[in-house]
Amino acid sequence: MKIFGIGMNYALHNKELDGALYKPEEPVVFTKADSALLRTGKPFFVPDWTAQVDYEAELVIRICRLGKGIPVRFAHRYYDAMTVGIDFTARDLQREARQKGLPWTVCKGFDGSAVLGDWVPKEELPPVQGLHFRLDRNGQTVQQGHTADMLYGVDELIAHLSRFFTLRTGDLLYTGTPPGVGPVQIGDHLEGWLEGRKVLETFAK
């Protein structure tokens, strides 16, 4: 199983990080180790080697068939379910890596950094570019996203990834986060919602 992440895929999130609205010239792709996966309901243990870990709520796509070199017009055939996930990010390490032009492997791919909600079949949801999702922290909404705001849509992302990687059944795609990211604290209760349906829950310890 491969875990793909997409960075800088919502313009307002780019502004909150970098102070400007912009679209990358192509999707910003990173990967996470399989040990990063954390199922809903399991606690997230805040690492002691970073000064700031941020939550980033994202729509997650489940790949359902083998594919390579997939055209955009056929990409919808390669996923069958969606959920909300959290891409935990060691922000201080990411800032340093970005300044030095280094990879994001550690700041994005550490153990437990990819929280995954319960799957919802594609057929039970509106079209993929018309989905609402949100993240609540201690009962207060901190992030709200609408997939129409993605700079690169899901089908474009799948086509792009399949140029370089063979996609396999069970691979995961974290599609980017909307604005509102912030630091997680020990004791926080995080809940993810997709089209009004609660699909994710974790406690920070």
Side-chain angles (χ1 to χ4, degrees):
M1 179 194 68
K2 299 184 289 297
I3 304 174
F4 297 104
I6 304 297
M8 324 307 289
N9 202 28
Y10 287 80
L12 289 176
H13 172 60
N14 298 350
K15 184 177 181 179
E16 73 179 350
L17 288 188
D18 297 329
L21 297 170
Y22 66 91
K23 179 178 181 178
E25 292 184 4
E26 62 180 33
V28 176
V29 178
F30 59 91
T31 59
K32 289 176 176 275
D34 57 3
S35 60
L37 193 63
L38 186 68
R39 302 286 181 180
T40 182
K42 301 292 185 181
F44 171 70
F45 292 94
V46 180
D48 60 4
W49 42 259
T50 175
Q52 181 181 339
V53 176
D54 283 2
Y55 51 77
E56 298 188 6
E58 314 199 358
L59 182 76
V60 185
I61 303 296
R62 183 174 70 188
I63 301 300
C64 65
R65 60 190 296 188
L66 186 72
K68 174 75 172 174
I70 303 165
V72 173
R73 66 183 183 278
F74 295 137
H76 66 278
R77 301 178 181 177
Y78 288 82
Y79 54 96
D80 65 350
M82 304 161 209
T83 191
V84 172
I86 300 174
D87 166 26
F88 280 118
T89 302
R91 191 67 71 197
D92 52 342
L93 272 67
Q94 188 193 37
R95 290 192 191 102
E96 182 178 351
R98 293 182 72 194
Q99 289 171 0
K100 296 179 178 179
L102 298 174
W104 295 359
T105 306
V106 173
C107 66
K108 287 284 194 178
F110 60 89
D111 288 356
S113 62
V115 187
L116 186 69
D118 294 325
W119 293 111
V120 181
K122 181 169 66 173
E123 295 76 14
E124 296 181 12
L125 293 166
V128 69
Q129 298 307 147
L131 297 174
H132 296 85
F133 62 97
R134 77 174 199 266
L135 182 71
D136 291 353
R137 175 176 177 253
N138 303 325
Q140 300 294 318
T141 298
V142 289
Q143 284 189 277
Q144 295 188 74
H146 189 255
T147 55
D149 296 328
M150 286 181 179
L151 299 174
Y152 292 97
V154 170
D155 291 355
E156 291 178 279
L157 294 175
I158 288 174
H160 179 76
L161 287 170
S162 72
R163 292 177 58 201
F164 311 103
F165 304 94
T166 298
L167 302 184
R168 301 183 185 277
T169 300
D171 287 349
L172 307 178
L173 172 56
Y174 284 66
T175 58
T177 194
V181 304
V184 64
Q185 305 292 337
I186 292 174
D188 280 350
H189 178 206
L190 300 172
E191 299 169 287
W193 301 78
L194 178 59
E195 287 294 315
R197 184 186 310 198
K198 182 178 172 180
V199 293
L200 179 150
E201 183 173 28
T202 189
F203 288 87
K205 293 189 175 182

